[in-house]
Amino acid sequence: MMEQYQHVKDQYPDAFLFYRIGDFYELFNDDAVKGAQLLELTLTARSHSTKHPTPMCGVPHKAVENYIDVLVDKGYKVAVCDQMEDPRKAKGMVKRAVTRLVTPGTRMDLKGDSAQTNNYLVAVTMVNNGYCLAYTDLSTGELKTTRFDNQTSLMNEIINLSAREVVEEGSLPDSLVNQFKKLNILLSHQDKLLKDSEVAYLTQKLEDDDVKRVVALLVSYLLTTQKRSLAHMQMAVFYQPSAYMKIDHFSKHNLELMTNMRSGKRQGTLAWLLDETKTAMGSRLLKQWMDRPLIDKSAIEARQDKVQVLLDNYFERSNLQEELIKVYDLERLAGRVAYGNVNGRDLIQLKTSLEQVPKIKYVLETLDAPALDDLAKRLDPMSEVAGLIDRAIVEEPPISVTEGGVIKDGYNTKLDEYRDAMSNGKQWIADLQQKEREATGINNLKIGYNHVFGYYIEVSKGNLNKLPQDRYERKQTLVNAERFSTPELKEKESLILGAQEKSTALEYDLFVKIRDEVKGQIKRLQALAKALSELDVLQSFAVVSENYHFVRPKLNHDHELNIKDGRHPVVEKFMGHQEYVPNDVVMGKDTDILLITGPNMSGKSTYMRQLALSAIMAQMGCFIPASRANLPIFDQIFTRIGAADDLVSGESTFMVEMMEANNALQHATKNSLILFDEIGRGTATYDGMALAQAIIEYVHNHVHAKTLFSTHYHELTTLDQQLKRLKNVHVGATEENGELVFLHKVSAGPADKSYGIHVAKLAGMPQSLLKRATDILHALENEHEEDHVAGIDQASEQSAATEPATKPSQQKEPAVEDNHQEKALAEEDNGQLELFAPTPKPHMNKTDQQVVKQLRKLDLMSMTPMDVMQQVYQWQQKLK
Ligand code: ADP
Ligand code: MG
């Protein structure tokens, strides 16, 4: 057996081999050692007697799916090797073969939350001028392909797809392979390109040989590994990434479209807010739309028109929702039908889903809106399929398809007879006895049964002469009687005796036929699923638009941006419509940049994000959180959220910041949207400020994208004097009863700059300290007026993106440098507070210095007001 095992294992060296023996799947050797650890199984050994026992561990076959899931979730492959014949009947070694290979990219039975997301398998090939990519979700049959001219865009797409497995031919450069490893993406090798008819069919719509090839690679891999029908796969479609708004994955992450930055969960994301879909397929489509917002104005408006109708008609919309709730995941059902692993329950789900379609169609028709005509037409009720299932399958079928009880009475005469025979066997015999008595006139004729002879007709010796010779065949002779059989009785006998067995076998045959019939309709089923998902997403847009007071935005190609009362939909949802302070965003044709200033926590980041989210929502076809809006159609969105707010990147944040900023500067067009949130915070003050200014100038002079730039460098607000396409806005704050109140209101002009000291005052710091801080600030400001121009000019000559963070000691020192301790402190901090650092404080004693040192280090953003109170209280005690 181990020989057989090894033979199979050699074909699947990179997978865990689950090898069926009796009621268990066993793992051997390295698979066993590693598997036992990953699956928390007990490791045992085979052949104890020999010197080298074989490590093994096993799982019961009934629970095998759970174990496979665990391994595949962790990014491994699992080959399942089954017994291909009944071990009791096998002569010699039981035949075994791998019946499926489960890999992270080819999982089908996704449950729970995973039902709402696609599981994509990707193939990548290298071509002359870049890369080709194909992807599929095996459970839905979606198959798409495209090409990229550089690695960054390719990786961006792969990350966007959340691919967990990439198929390759062995020609990918190491740089790419390493990135896959880093991202824990499994690399699967496929070297043979199959010339299968399936490949030809699926690639027939493609014109470009390179993309044909990458699709062929992907399909070959599926054919080699899956060993099942791919009938549900849809013909490959070429897509142009530039046909959609591009949002790189950093930005998707920053904007929290699908995952919350802190929790990594869905809650608090845009997807979470917008998803009022009623079906899992709708939920998946919504994410696809979010991933690829449109850039074609009329296509966006077509979606808006539909949303508008659904928004305006509350009752019809509620009706639609009620019907949609009853629609199951048709897309994945279609996939399972193709794979041949549906059971009776799945078919009932299919029927139930199909039964909703005429109702949904009817509601759409009563709305009588031209915008919805097309959608209504695409809703094909597939009544023959629904009818077939209705006639054939019982309402509550068992899970198993091989044990009977699946097919309805009245569907098949033969099956009815079997069932009749089973349940009415006795009655039938009694009837026959009666019939025979009447036919022969023998009143004591009886029909009996024994194990050896089966059913018989018994006639007493005295009546034998009344029996016609022809039909009766002698079976057994007793002292007083003879026992006979007739062809009819024989037939019924085998009917009754074999009824159970035959009926289950026939049921299975019938079931398979029905399943195949449904399989023949997969394409229609998929088209229907698509139409229903679209309707589901559109009704979801209508629901959120109503619930959260969204408005239909106008769209333009004129670089005109005007939002009245814009809101951040997610923040607003958390704090409530009443609490949220709406803000306008006004950037006419002649404005490229808004420079946003304002104290910490005033709402700068929120303001910027709300614009980006609104742009994405608008181009998905959804309405947006505002009271009126006119938006340019953006081709791309870039965001760079400054280091202070950067909760994610563990590596050198400043480097990441510069890389992302560079990405925006290199790739943005005048039709793009850029958000630069406190850029330059990650390095020393002047260094950062210099970069910030240079970046603004570069955008202003070369890029012309609509750009929101928030900054804590007030010095930059004077830029509006030189840069015609830049405007200052600020987020206000005010003092009320001795408390700093954030108004969250954005207004024209630069912010008042004394907030830092203001906050310190509110925190109750000693008067003398505050006075001192104000003096230092003035001194710095005066000096800075002189330094500013020279300092910046020098910096702007260097390349922004490649210049590493300068050490504090190399910085231009704005004040006298004679205090050792202060310098040490400054170097320790190496941040913005250094602005204050090199100033001598001769009258400070040791305690003062300690307090100042602690004050500098205080991370206000991570403290609660209570923490601050306590800290300040401690200082007061010290200073008394
Ligand atoms: P900043 O970037 O200026 O430091 P944030 O944008 O991070 O400020 O906002 C800080 C907090 O202020 C947010 O978490 C939110 O609770 C609140 N906030 C921001 N904008 C508004 C608004 N328009 N209305 C009400 N609250 C807001
Ligand atoms: Mg911020």
Side-chain angles (χ1 to χ4, degrees):
M1 196 190 68
M2 286 317 283
E3 232 169 74
Q4 186 194 43
Y5 171 85
Q6 203 50 51
H7 180 71
V8 178
K9 178 67 199 175
D10 288 346
Q11 296 162 43
Y12 298 91
D14 60 345
F16 280 96
L17 181 60
F18 277 49
Y19 193 74
R20 179 77 181 259
I21 301 174
D23 283 341
F24 280 80
Y25 283 100
E26 303 287 358
L27 284 80
F28 296 107
N29 298 325
D30 290 350
D31 281 1
V33 176
K34 209 165 157 199
Q37 198 182 27
L38 292 167
L39 298 170
E40 296 174 17
L41 299 169
T42 316
L43 189 65
T44 58
R46 200 180 163 83
S47 327
H48 283 290
S49 50
T50 62
K51 255 201 189 146
H52 304 287
T54 312
M56 76 182 246
C57 63
V59 301
H61 79 100
K62 286 213 163 123
V64 70
E65 296 307 326
N66 298 334
Y67 289 101
I68 294 176
D69 279 354
V70 172
L71 291 176
V72 176
D73 265 347
K74 294 192 163 142
Y76 298 102
K77 296 183 187 182
V78 176
V80 182
C81 182
D82 281 306
Q83 296 173 157
M84 303 311 282
E85 54 189 350
D86 189 337
R88 284 166 299 186
K89 294 179 190 152
K91 296 192 191 78
M93 219 35 231
V94 180
K95 276 205 200 79
R96 289 189 177 83
V98 170
T99 50
R100 63 198 164 119
L101 182 69
V102 191
T103 73
T106 58
R107 275 175 79 186
M108 294 274 292
D109 296 311
L110 297 160
K111 293 176 196 93
D113 280 353
S114 318
Q116 295 179 0
T117 42
N118 283 104
N119 183 30
Y120 289 122
L121 174 71
V122 168
V124 176
T125 55
M126 217 159 104
V127 292
N128 262 339
N129 42 1
Y131 298 89
C132 285
L133 172 146
Y135 71 81
T136 184
D137 179 337
L138 197 58
S139 65
T140 64
E142 178 187 2
L143 179 60
K144 300 247 166 78
T145 179
T146 189
R147 54 191 310 153
F148 296 100
D149 56 13
N150 65 75
Q151 226 181 74
T152 315
S153 319
L154 170 76
M155 273 320 289
N156 196 42
E157 189 71 352
I158 291 175
I159 295 171
N160 271 345
L161 291 166
S162 309
R164 304 210 30 226
E165 183 178 2
V166 171
V167 184
E168 51 98 37
E169 301 173 291
S171 61
L172 299 183
D174 287 348
S175 56
L176 205 53
V177 171
N178 289 336
Q179 287 196 63
F180 290 150
K181 280 204 187 111
K182 243 197 191 157
L183 292 164
N184 198 18
I185 295 174
L186 179 70
L187 209 56
S188 292
H189 190 74
Q190 171 75 27
D191 39 21
K192 249 200 264 141
L193 281 191
L194 304 181
K195 295 231 161 19
D196 215 270
S197 60
E198 206 132 12
V199 176
Y201 169 78
L202 291 172
T203 54
Q204 64 183 289
K205 275 198 195 157
L206 303 173
E207 281 161 15
D208 171 345
D209 282 342
D210 289 339
V211 295
K212 260 191 177 174
R213 192 178 157 77
V214 76
V215 174
L217 177 71
L218 185 65
V219 177
S220 300
Y221 176 74
L222 291 177
L223 289 170
T224 327
T225 57
Q226 296 303 296
K227 303 168 189 300
R228 292 189 240 194
S229 155
L230 298 178
H232 69 301
M233 294 279 288
Q234 298 163 28
M235 268 183 236
V237 179
F238 183 82
Y239 69 99
Q240 200 56 270
S242 61
Y244 302 98
M245 179 205 259
K246 249 202 268 175
I247 319 168
D248 60 82
H249 66 270
F250 297 120
S251 302
K252 280 189 179 156
H253 190 87
N254 283 338
L255 293 171
E256 305 190 297
L257 296 187
M258 312 220 192
T259 35
N260 184 295
M261 277 204 255
R262 264 138 297 183
S263 65
K265 302 233 165 67
R266 223 168 100 82
Q267 195 183 23
T269 64
L270 186 63
W272 166 78
L273 181 97
L274 295 184
D275 194 347
E276 289 290 336
T277 58
K278 299 294 173 198
T279 65
M281 31 179 198
S283 185
R284 290 195 299 268
L285 186 67
L286 187 136
K287 282 188 206 94
Q288 291 176 18
W289 284 9
M290 187 175 290
D291 244 332
R292 302 191 200 301
L294 303 173
I295 53 173
D296 179 53
K297 189 160 172 267
S298 53
I300 300 170
E301 286 168 350
R303 284 188 193 169
Q304 288 182 336
D305 289 342
K306 294 175 195 161
V307 175
Q308 187 74 60
V309 177
L310 294 167
L311 177 62
D312 293 343
N313 293 277
Y314 177 83
F315 289 107
E316 285 81 357
R317 191 172 81 228
S318 312
N319 283 346
L320 287 177
Q321 288 163 352
E322 268 165 43
E323 308 305 344
L324 281 170
I325 288 175
K326 296 176 218 153
V327 174
Y328 290 87
D329 197 336
L330 289 181
E331 239 181 345
R332 286 199 164 142
L333 272 176
R336 304 236 297 282
V337 170
Y339 259 44
N341 58 2
V342 286
N343 60 19
R345 292 186 186 179
D346 294 320
L347 290 185
I348 291 298
Q349 289 190 354
L350 175 58
K351 181 188 79 166
T352 313
S353 306
L354 292 177
E355 281 169 355
Q356 312 315 313
V357 178
K359 300 184 214 165
I360 292 172
K361 215 176 153 91
Y362 176 75
V363 178
L364 291 187
E365 281 160 6
T366 54
L367 279 172
D368 196 23
L372 294 174
D373 273 359
D374 164 61
L375 204 50
K377 268 197 209 103
R378 286 164 56 204
L379 292 177
D380 169 4
M382 301 184 61
S383 45
E384 347 62 81
V385 176
L388 171 67
I389 299 172
D390 189 46
R391 265 178 286 122
I393 310 289
V394 299
E395 290 307 320
E396 286 175 18
I399 291 175
S400 165
V401 294
T402 51
E403 285 160 32
V406 178
I407 306 287
K408 265 188 183 167
D409 287 338
Y411 175 69
N412 179 284
T413 0
K414 198 86 204 152
L415 180 63
D416 288 348
E417 272 175 37
Y418 289 151
R419 287 189 173 156
D420 236 28
M422 275 154 58
S423 56
N424 303 330
K426 278 213 173 101
Q427 184 56 46
W428 188 88
I429 296 290
D431 291 349
L432 181 69
Q433 181 171 288
Q434 191 53 37
K435 224 170 77 188
E436 288 293 336
R437 280 184 187 172
E438 282 164 16
T440 56
I442 307 170
N443 281 336
N444 65 351
L445 176 150
K446 64 176 190 196
I447 299 185
Y449 175 81
N450 77 25
H451 285 294
V452 185
F453 296 99
Y455 284 97
Y456 54 80
I457 299 173
E458 189 177 296
V459 179
S460 59
K461 287 237 158 93
N463 285 322
L464 277 177
N465 56 338
K466 289 189 188 160
L467 212 59
Q469 289 302 308
D470 54 348
R471 283 197 306 127
Y472 298 86
E473 181 189 319
R474 194 181 308 270
K475 268 187 138 181
Q476 194 184 6
T477 304
L478 303 179
V479 184
N480 305 322
E482 294 279 333
R483 287 176 176 175
F484 301 90
S485 188
T486 64
E488 194 186 8
L489 182 61
K490 257 194 208 156
E491 192 196 321
K492 288 296 172 188
E493 175 189 68
S494 68
L495 248 184
I496 295 168
L497 296 182
Q500 180 77 46
E501 211 172 290
K502 283 185 186 146
S503 122
T504 48
L506 176 59
E507 275 205 56
Y508 182 70
D509 284 350
L510 292 170
F511 181 80
V512 169
K513 277 209 190 86
I514 294 162
R515 193 171 66 190
D516 286 346
E517 208 146 312
V518 177
K519 189 165 157 180
Q521 304 296 324
I522 281 180
K523 299 283 173 272
R524 274 171 78 196
L525 200 56
Q526 283 170 334
L528 171 65
K530 183 118 202 306
L532 284 169
S533 333
E534 280 178 38
L535 178 63
D536 196 9
V537 179
L538 293 165
Q539 70 79 22
S540 176
F541 285 174
V543 171
V544 292
S545 297
E546 175 158 304
N547 290 353
Y548 306 124
H549 316 277
F550 294 168
V551 72
R552 175 177 183 158
K554 272 212 188 78
L555 298 157
N556 69 72
H557 285 300
D558 309 323
H559 210 54
E560 183 81 47
L561 197 167
N562 196 332
I563 294 181
K564 180 104 189 95
D565 301 327
R567 284 114 53 202
H568 187 302
V570 180
V571 176
E572 182 185 36
K573 176 166 167 138
F574 277 116
M575 67 170 46
H577 187 58
Q578 300 304 327
E579 295 301 309
Y580 195 91
V581 180
N583 276 305
D584 302 347
V585 191
V586 184
M587 295 175 88
K589 284 188 182 59
D590 304 327
T591 308
D592 290 341
I593 304 173
L594 285 189
L595 188 67
I596 308 164
T597 42
N600 249 339
M601 289 302 284
S602 60
K604 300 184 295 297
S605 303
T606 311
Y607 180 70
M608 301 174 83
R609 283 153 190 259
Q610 79 186 32
L611 174 61
L613 294 183
S614 293
I616 292 168
M617 289 164 71
Q619 289 180 234
M620 288 169 75
C622 186
F623 293 2
I624 68 169
S627 65
R628 200 173 64 229
N630 186 356
L631 288 172
I633 292 179
F634 291 112
D635 63 351
Q636 305 173 75
I637 294 184
F638 298 93
T639 66
R640 173 53 230 177
I641 311 291
D645 286 342
D646 200 324
L647 299 150
V648 235
S649 0
E651 16 182 328
S652 159
T653 39
F654 186 66
M655 187 61 191
V656 175
E657 184 173 338
M658 287 300 110
M659 274 163 55
E660 291 181 22
N662 184 43
N663 181 41
L665 297 174
Q666 300 283 336
H667 297 109
T669 72
K670 72 178 199 327
N671 294 319
S672 305
L673 173 64
I674 302 179
L675 309 185
F676 281 150
D677 195 351
E678 310 220 16
I679 210 160
R681 262 193 111 142
T683 180
T685 304
Y686 278 3
D687 199 14
M689 192 160 75
L691 279 170
Q693 180 172 344
I695 289 172
I696 293 175
E697 287 171 358
Y698 188 89
V699 171
H700 186 273
N701 298 333
H702 303 292
V703 182
H704 299 300
K706 290 277 186 226
T707 304
L708 300 192
F709 196 108
S710 76
T711 184
H712 62 290
Y713 300 123
H714 296 284
E715 292 83 349
L716 297 178
T717 54
T718 56
L719 281 173
D720 66 341
Q721 289 156 23
Q722 300 137 53
L723 306 178
K724 292 278 161 296
R725 307 179 67 83
L726 176 143
K727 281 206 168 60
N728 280 309
V729 292
H730 71 278
V731 198
T734 181
E735 196 193 322
E736 233 172 60
N737 305 329
E739 268 183 62
L740 187 68
V741 177
F742 298 115
L743 302 173
H744 303 304
K745 195 75 197 167
V746 177
S747 329
D752 175 354
K753 54 175 122 173
S754 64
Y755 280 111
I757 295 174
H758 198 122
V759 174
K761 181 179 159 202
L762 289 169
M765 283 196 190
Q767 275 302 324
S768 63
L769 189 153
L770 292 170
K771 166 97 184 42
R772 176 72 192 135
T774 315
D775 290 349
I776 298 169
L777 180 66
H778 288 323
L780 284 171
E781 275 170 0
N782 290 338
E783 220 159 307
H784 176 67
E785 300 289 82
E786 291 137 39
D787 275 7
H788 184 52
V789 181
I792 300 288
D793 281 349
Q794 195 185 354
S796 61
E797 268 163 35
Q798 300 164 339
S799 150
T802 52
E803 178 67 9
T806 324
K807 287 207 196 83
S809 54
Q810 298 172 310
Q811 290 280 303
K812 217 172 171 28
E813 301 286 9
V816 201
E817 180 210 325
D818 65 352
N819 187 316
H820 262 327
Q821 204 159 5
E822 287 304 322
K823 193 164 176 226
L825 285 173
E827 272 172 23
E828 229 177 281
D829 281 335
N830 184 23
Q832 46 189 321
L833 286 166
E834 186 208 357
L835 190 61
F836 302 94
T839 320
K841 299 182 182 68
H843 59 273
M844 275 198 182
N845 63 24
K846 225 169 164 192
T847 320
D848 290 353
Q849 285 171 10
Q850 259 177 10
V851 170
V852 173
K853 185 172 176 178
Q854 285 172 2
L855 171 59
R856 283 211 177 90
K857 288 206 157 170
L858 216 56
D859 180 8
L860 279 177
M861 296 305 291
S862 70
M863 296 174 83
T864 66
M866 211 48 213
D867 292 344
V868 178
M869 285 290 284
Q870 252 159 19
Q871 184 59 58
V872 173
Y873 177 76
Q874 280 173 16
W875 286 334
Q876 268 185 339
Q877 296 306 310
K878 268 195 197 162
L879 292 170
K880 260 179 192 163

